[in-house]
Amino acid sequence: VLGRVLSPIIEDGASDPFTFASKAERLVGEEKVCALFGCWTSASRKAVVRVVEEHDHLLFYPLQYEGFEASRNVIYTGAAPNQQILPAVEWCAKTLGRGRAFLVGSDYVFPRKANEIVRMSLARLGGTCVGEDYRPLGGRDFEKIAAQILGSGADVIFNTVNGDSNIAFFQALHNAGLRPNAVPVISFSIAEDELASIGTDLTAGHYCAWNYFQCIDTEANQRFVSAFKHRHGQNRVTDDPIEAAYIAVQVFARAVEKAHSTDPRAIREACRGLEYEAPGGQVKIDPENQHTWTVARVGRIRPDGQFDLVWSSPDIIRPDPFLGGRR
């Protein structure tokens, strides 16, 4: 980029917001990096946002999230709620014809806010929330929740459980006799990489909502998947956060070239309105809120850990992190 080799400096946030913030301080203050890439949970992002705002620096955040944020120091390459949550709920109501929903999540920022958005969308579509419950991150006790779902009359489950807790969650559903043909689960935090560890014995037939799936049949995506496997191993899979992280670096590189500068402020300005042909299709960085215009998709889990693509939005969707409200 600008005739210079990119040199990544990697730090481990240890899944702890305080550690994420201290590592970000070191990268910005001591290493003098020109941009940060990363974070996973909303708690870790919020901790790092405080750092980049204080230093007027730049973070690229590659994960779908709960919205209601638009920092001028962040480029958001994952989905806003109107590009993942709302389209999936509407698809479920109109295509699957299901509107009696039970909401299950891990107990932190994203699941609680996401489920607030799901409830709002259900009400607008004539559906109803028949139950809602949470377990701590890493929790394994889902038997009581499965029993609640069974007794609630739910005909669909919206799932924001994160990580390996999903193994216990889907096992509890199976033990309770809840099958995908009767009560399908639509997940917002399970992708191909998670399925590689969770497995498909209990998840096949259920659904996930994302913007990218490895199964997208385009020449650009085939090149992306092939290059990824060549570098990381044929048993590895791509997924939405992986593609969003890849988009972040590609957008960064193009913005540096456009700005002819590695100053974080100049890079940020150059990102606004920038368009890029990503593996999943055309994307654009919104010039106002710095989120990414992208396609919404729903996939059905296959026994081999991949997805059958069952729905895609006809066009890329403008990001609306505040859902029509004011900042």
Side-chain angles (χ1 to χ4, degrees):
V1 178
L2 296 182
R4 297 161 65 183
V5 176
L6 297 179
S7 178
I9 301 171
I10 301 171
E11 292 283 3
D12 183 2
S15 299
D16 174 68
F18 178 81
T19 304
F20 264 101
S22 64
K23 298 291 188 180
E25 284 280 2
R26 197 187 81 78
L27 288 170
V28 171
E30 298 178 25
E31 296 290 349
K32 308 299 183 184
V33 301
C34 61
L36 298 173
F37 300 83
C39 304
W40 186 267
T41 66
S42 289
S44 66
R45 183 194 72 255
K46 288 179 180 296
V48 173
V49 167
R50 287 193 290 270
V51 175
V52 294
E53 288 183 341
E54 180 182 343
H55 294 278
D56 198 17
H57 214 274
L58 181 61
L59 167 68
F60 287 82
Y61 181 62
L63 200 69
Q64 104 291 7
Y65 82 118
E66 70 281 354
F68 298 91
E69 178 182 300
S71 171
R72 72 190 189 97
N73 297 96
V74 181
I75 305 297
Y76 304 81
T77 58
N82 74 304
Q83 298 168 309
Q84 185 203 26
I85 298 171
L86 295 185
V89 176
E90 185 170 348
W91 172 83
C92 174
K94 294 183 177 180
T95 302
L96 296 186
R98 297 171 186 267
R100 291 181 55 81
F102 199 103
L103 317 183
V104 183
S106 298
D107 196 2
Y108 70 102
V109 176
F110 169 69
R112 287 193 174 274
K113 193 64 180 180
N115 284 336
E116 181 182 322
I117 295 167
V118 170
R119 291 195 304 273
M120 175 189 71
S121 183
L122 282 170
R124 179 176 58 83
L125 293 165
T128 184
C129 173
V130 297
E132 182 173 351
D133 209 343
Y134 298 86
R135 288 294 179 268
L137 275 169
R140 295 290 189 270
D141 178 18
F142 287 95
E143 299 299 331
K144 291 181 180 178
I145 288 181
Q148 290 177 47
I149 296 170
L150 192 61
S152 70
D155 59 13
V156 67
I157 301 164
F158 288 106
N159 173 30
T160 48
V161 173
N162 216 316
D164 288 345
S165 294
N166 277 291
I167 298 173
F169 172 57
F170 280 97
Q171 183 66 62
L173 295 182
H174 182 81
N175 293 346
L178 294 161
R179 302 293 187 263
N181 60 329
V183 188
V185 177
I186 300 177
S187 299
F188 297 116
S189 297
I190 296 176
E192 291 89 337
D193 204 48
E194 283 76 27
L195 286 174
S197 60
I198 296 170
T200 59
D201 289 346
L202 304 174
T203 57
H206 292 294
Y207 300 91
C208 296
W210 290 105
N211 308 107
Y212 168 87
F213 291 96
Q214 181 177 297
C215 67
I216 293 171
D217 188 17
T218 64
E219 185 177 338
N221 189 48
Q222 289 169 3
R223 288 197 305 269
F224 174 64
V225 173
S226 177
F228 181 87
K229 287 180 175 290
H230 178 75
R231 184 179 182 91
H232 297 288
Q234 293 301 309
N235 62 324
R236 289 291 306 278
V237 292
T238 60
D239 64 16
D240 185 285
I242 289 172
E243 193 230 13
Y246 180 80
I247 290 171
V249 178
Q250 294 291 335
V251 167
F252 159 81
R254 285 159 174 75
V256 170
E257 295 279 3
K258 179 181 174 182
H260 297 284
S261 173
T262 55
D263 179 77
R265 301 158 196 81
I267 297 169
R268 181 180 69 216
E269 293 302 317
C271 283
R272 293 175 175 169
L274 196 149
E275 298 188 31
Y276 166 61
E277 186 66 34
Q282 187 75 12
V283 298
K284 178 174 69 173
I285 306 301
D286 190 86
E288 295 181 9
N289 58 44
Q290 297 176 183
H291 289 62
T292 304
W293 291 60
T294 186
V295 171
R297 294 180 168 101
V298 176
R300 190 168 185 261
I301 301 171
R302 299 193 323 222
D304 65 355
Q306 285 297 311
F307 287 85
D308 289 322
L309 193 58
V310 298
W311 178 80
S312 299
S313 62
D315 298 299
I316 58 175
I317 299 172
R318 178 185 179 275
D320 181 14
F322 296 93
L323 300 179
R326 300 179 65 181
R327 290 184 60 174

